[in-house]
Amino acid sequence: MTKNILTNFWMWLGLVALLLVLIVARVPASFAAYAFTQAIPGLSLAEVQGSLWAGSAGSALLSVERDVYSLGRFQWRLKPLSLLTFKPCANISFAFQSQSAKGDVCAAGEQVQLANFNVNVPAELLDLWFATTLAGDLSLVVNKGTINGLRVEALDGNLSWRNGALLNGDSWIALGTFGANLTADNQGGVNAELVDLGGPVIADLDINYNRILRPNDPIGVIIKGEIGVRDSAHPELQKFLPTMASAIGEETERGYAIEWQQ
């Protein structure tokens, strides 16, 4: 009798799963596009085609304050069994010129979960936030992450900046390559342990980004640690960085111990 009950249970579960797949396959892609734009503030999708199950948007735009940034072609493939948990999950990707992203996203209300998520963008994207022009390649890897509204509830990832450079007038000044481990600070923000990988700039910094704790701070960042320049650094960098660091820190054997907040 127990065997028959289990057999019937799995049979009905299979039928429910099949029904969900059939339903999802017939729902238009616009439903998924609406869900993505609600889950990601500032995201807008156009030229939507396909279905809720698997679809794409020919043009994806992300608004950051007053700036609009193109993500290019946006694609998704829904995981139908995730509908049973009322937390829909999809594998998404976007690509445009030298930038790309791919990974798994799950959403429930304002909570968004990321897994095996990789983002590659040019450093010039940072021009949206900083009043300077940068070069190099930024790579973000989120092994696991949970975001609820503006709060970062969990994070395991890393960030790298390869071949970093700063535009000083008409010339580029090499900064080097940097890496950072990323974790949640348990207060809604992000901790980053940033180090240099042997380039012109010496960096061993603990960075905290938290707009929840510092809502009136336009950047929301606290930086502590050590920074300096090596003999191989550009002459302009050897003048500029020590001057800036000495204003907010104390001199050490390798550079300056600093603590900075906007």
Side-chain angles (χ1 to χ4, degrees), residues 54-113:
S56 66
S59 174
L61 299 176
L62 184 64
S63 298
V64 181
E65 295 182 351
R66 296 182 179 181
D67 296 300
V68 179
Y69 188 71
S70 176
L71 301 179
R73 182 174 177 81
F74 184 90
Q75 296 177 289
W76 70 85
R77 181 172 292 276
L78 190 68
K79 299 182 178 183
L81 292 181
S82 66
L83 298 177
L84 296 175
T85 64
F86 300 100
K87 184 185 290 186
C89 298
N91 181 268
I92 70 169
S93 65
F94 67 76
F96 177 67
Q97 296 180 352
S98 60
Q99 67 190 29
S100 64
K102 185 176 182 180
D104 295 329
V105 179
C106 299
E110 291 189 351
Q111 186 184 83
V112 177
Q113 294 181 330

Side-chain angles (χ1 to χ4, degrees), residues 31-45 107 109-112 149:
F31 282 78
Y34 175 78
F36 285 123
T37 56
Q38 292 301 301
I40 305 174
L43 178 67
S44 62
L45 302 175
E110 291 189 351
Q111 186 184 83
V112 177

Side-chain angles (χ1 to χ4, degrees), residues 227-229 234-251 255-258 260:
I227 192 167
V229 292
H234 190 283
E236 289 296 322
L237 187 61
Q238 292 188 18
K239 295 178 182 178
F240 166 74
L241 195 147
T243 300
M244 179 189 69
S246 63
I248 58 174
E250 298 181 355
E251 190 171 1
Y256 292 85
I258 65 169
W260 180 85

Side-chain angles (χ1 to χ4, degrees), residues 73-157:
R73 182 174 177 81
F74 184 90
Q75 296 177 289
W76 70 85
R77 181 172 292 276
L78 190 68
K79 299 182 178 183
L81 292 181
S82 66
L83 298 177
L84 296 175
T85 64
F86 300 100
K87 184 185 290 186
C89 298
N91 181 268
I92 70 169
S93 65
F94 67 76
F96 177 67
Q97 296 180 352
S98 60
Q99 67 190 29
S100 64
K102 185 176 182 180
D104 295 329
V105 179
C106 299
E110 291 189 351
Q111 186 184 83
V112 177
Q113 294 181 330
L114 305 176
N116 302 318
F117 203 86
N118 299 274
V119 180
N120 298 285
V121 296
E124 63 189 45
L125 171 64
L126 297 179
D127 295 356
L128 295 174
W129 293 276
F130 300 103
T132 187
T133 300
L134 302 173
D137 300 310
L138 290 172
S139 295
L140 171 66
V141 176
V142 178
N143 300 315
K144 290 183 179 180
T146 302
I147 303 170
N148 198 331
L150 295 176
R151 297 182 62 85
V152 177
E153 297 182 342
L155 181 60
D156 171 22

